[in-house]
Amino acid sequence: MMRILKRLSLYGVAVALFGQTASFHEDSLHGRRAFVLENDRMRVSTLPGGGYIGEIRFKSDDPKKSVNPMRVPHYQTIDPYTFDPARHGALYGTGAQRLVMAGYMGHYLCFPYFGPSSEVELGYGLGAHGEALAVEWKRQKVETRKDGVTLSYSADLAKTQYRVERAITLPADETVGYVEESVENLTPYDRPMQWVEHITFGPPFVEVGKNHADAPVAKVAIGGLRSGQSVTEASWPEIKDPQGKTLDLRTFSGNTGTWLLDRSRPRVYFTLYNSDYPVLIGYIFSGAQNPWVLDWKENQRAQQTPWDGKAIARGICLGDSPVQGIRNAIERNNILGVPVYSWIEARQRRTQTYVFFLAEIPIGFKGVADLRTEEGRIVIV
């Protein structure tokens, strides 16, 4: 078992400090402006352009240990709110995916819907995976204390009439980041929504046959996710493909999967590692708010600009829906008896907390059988 020091009110435990510090500064990541949180052991970078968390890595002289697991594209990205069809259309396309393609890096928020926009919505300037990824996230405040640092930043979604906020806390002595994220309905009426964290990893951490995921998966959904299409259930992690070949869903292969997590657990998690690197990255979420994972995999198939058959990525899309498109989700209603969208009430503000963490693992690590929190620590079995 491995144990990682942790603290914060999420679990209500404090730990002692050992003269370590945490700080905030502005820097650049992949040629874009970045807000950077770091302590002596860990660096986290998030981008005002779209709110992407593009870097979560150990600080080490060993390049294997300091690898950034998050996806950084092979092409130059831009802050998506600066996208101009005349200047950037040839680089990133002009369809529903244009803003995602332009700004895509690492972890981003799909909100207020997951998946494609409609043609009418596209005409009004919206695109795939909602408005939160397409706007500027503005720094609200930075709090630096002896025990850590907190960055609070937010974005106004003018087209869809929401406000999103996020606070990331990095303690001085831990390799754990604590996130509080909220969405607020600015309209005077209830409406459906999807709230999905698209947490995307890329090369060199993602590699066919060497990148592995673990999670408390209760069932695997197989089949079409659109309304009227049949879905069957299978056991995790091995399933049969249409040709009868056995697929191990833990291992990156380029084949997307849909997981229903164990909702009896108050907290759910996923972890990811590459067998050639001494790094495990993981996230812990509320089980009640986040029953679904769409494990999206891309392995040099997509030919559209700017991917051009070169993109390799694994996106753990975790939240209240695996179904792409809010209308499609409403028509589908549920999969395996579990809803695939949620409602937000008039003027309601909803909040969730989650954590991400890094742990050092031995080369040849075989995976995570379980993860739990106890006595102020994350315990990895």
Side-chain angles (χ1 to χ4, degrees), residues 236-252:
W236 167 268
E238 293 185 345
I239 64 169
K240 297 286 187 180
D241 70 6
Q243 290 73 44
K245 180 182 177 181
T246 299
L247 296 177
D248 183 352
L249 296 181
R250 295 182 62 247
T251 303
F252 179 75

Side-chain angles (χ1 to χ4, degrees), residues 283-297:
Y283 278 73
I284 305 172
F285 286 86
S286 160
Q289 290 177 272
N290 302 280
W292 288 109
V293 168
L294 178 68
D295 179 17
W296 169 78
K297 305 184 188 80

